[in-house]
Amino acid sequence: VRMVSTVTNTDVKQKDVDQAVVVAVTFAAVFEPETEDGSSIYRFGVALPLVQVLQRVNERLLEKNPAEHQLFDVILITTESWQQQQNSSIINSTRHHGLEVGRFCFSTEEDYIESLMQNNVQLFLTTDGNEALQATQQGVPSALLDTNWVSCPSEQLRVLFCEKAIIQLNMGSTEASKKSAQNFLAHLGQMKQKFGVFDSPLCFTLVTSHGGKDNCCCALKSLRSLGVSVDEAYCLGGAPHGPILSLLRPHFLLSDGFSLLEG
């Protein structure tokens, strides 16, 4: 049976549907498939520090303005049938790890895209390249999380832009996903503008791979036109991404409307 069921997390104050920035993270990114010894609590996976830092950004925004509505609204989404059967364990695991997840969407391989659409998801985070690509093709900006390294716990959300994200589209991106991607970037920019340069819970870095200084300036201008100010910019001039990524350790990379970045 094809179905998408959404469960509201009553432990969490629900966000303003018109102003919140909805980020969906897959169960497989947040948790490992096995539970902790003898319990029904899942061990945490690669995306746990990311979900925690999104909460931290929300806390900082609310400290600045208790009436703030432009907050991250994190939803947890299942994309495999077996996960649907485990909904109480998934909800309990989220509670156990202190994660502020607003809603749980229990869907299958066939209809997780539908649940992204139903919930107006503005950024979909997954460890599965095919899922990221499919969502991007359907106009939902997606970023692939790297399972090779888990970001350390952090007070600051570190986002890395690659110049392709802003200048050209990859094959999987549609006009719709480009527009949605720009919309998401504009939201990030607005959040950052609420803080001073040295006191922001958001840190943005631009890395351009090719084309020298001109390409870098062009990418900076494109970001600026969306209201996004960058903290640091690196022009690699054809050098591999690997070393700079291991130094910067971003929580996620945004490239090509967005979908995939080859590191």
Side-chain angles (χ1 to χ4, degrees):
V1 181
R2 291 187 60 179
M3 56 170 280
V4 175
S5 69
T6 301
V7 178
T8 300
N9 186 355
T10 51
D11 292 353
V12 169
K13 187 181 177 205
Q14 295 300 302
K15 308 290 186 288
D16 179 330
V17 288
D18 296 321
Q19 294 192 55
V21 179
V22 184
V23 178
V25 192
T26 61
F27 164 81
V30 180
F31 296 113
E32 295 289 339
E34 68 273 359
T35 55
E36 291 179 2
D37 311 322
S39 73
S40 62
I41 302 296
Y42 287 101
R43 297 171 190 278
F44 61 80
V46 67
L48 185 85
L50 166 56
V51 178
Q52 288 171 329
V53 81
L54 292 175
Q55 286 174 214
R56 184 69 189 124
V57 174
N58 282 351
E59 285 165 15
R60 290 287 309 279
L61 284 162
L62 288 166
E63 279 165 18
K64 220 165 180 44
N65 174 14
E68 182 62 67
H69 288 294
Q70 192 177 35
L71 302 165
F72 289 114
D73 187 9
V74 178
I75 67 177
L76 189 74
I77 202 156
T78 64
T79 54
E80 291 183 46
S81 309
W82 71 266
Q83 295 162 0
Q84 280 194 315
Q85 317 309 316
Q86 303 299 321
N87 51 13
S88 61
S89 293
I90 291 172
I91 293 169
N92 288 339
S93 301
T94 311
R95 195 173 282 149
H96 175 81
H97 292 293
L99 302 183
E100 201 172 280
V101 170
R103 296 183 296 291
F104 301 92
C105 294
F106 297 102
S107 63
T108 60
E109 294 93 328
E110 294 79 38
D111 41 39
Y112 73 91
I113 300 279
E114 195 182 312
S115 57
L116 296 177
M117 304 285 207
Q118 282 177 5
N119 287 281
N120 299 319
V121 169
Q122 294 173 44
L123 178 67
F124 173 53
L125 296 163
T126 174
T127 49
D128 182 312
N130 286 332
E131 288 179 356
L133 195 60
Q134 281 176 352
T136 299
Q137 286 166 342
Q138 295 298 319
V140 181
S142 308
L144 188 63
L145 298 174
D146 190 339
T147 48
N148 295 326
W149 45 274
V150 178
S151 297
C152 317
S154 166
E155 288 291 298
Q156 207 176 36
L157 176 66
R158 295 186 300 276
V159 181
L160 190 139
F161 302 110
C162 288
E163 91 270 26
K164 298 191 201 79
I166 300 113
I167 292 170
Q168 69 191 58
L169 289 171
N170 86 358
M171 299 302 289
S173 305
T174 58
E175 205 45 50
S177 64
K178 185 182 182 187
K179 218 171 161 55
S180 312
Q182 289 177 336
N183 187 27
F184 176 72
L185 295 182
H187 278 301
L188 282 185
Q190 286 160 11
M191 285 178 164
K192 193 173 195 299
Q193 282 164 13
K194 293 170 185 176
F195 296 92
V197 179
F198 302 109
D199 185 38
S200 177
L202 297 141
C203 175
F204 301 155
T205 305
L206 171 70
V207 172
T208 59
S209 314
H210 306 286
K213 199 167 61 183
D214 291 348
N215 209 11
C216 195
C217 290
C218 187
L220 282 169
K221 277 184 193 151
S222 300
L223 281 168
R224 212 164 281 148
S225 73
L226 296 169
V228 177
S229 59
V230 169
D231 298 281
E232 295 179 329
Y234 296 90
C235 175
L236 297 186
H241 285 107
I244 195 88
L245 290 185
S246 59
L247 187 71
L248 297 170
R249 293 183 84 80
H251 289 95
F252 55 85
L253 318 167
L254 300 182
S255 80
D256 304 307
F258 300 131
S259 211
L260 311 181
L261 169 80
E262 298 306 327

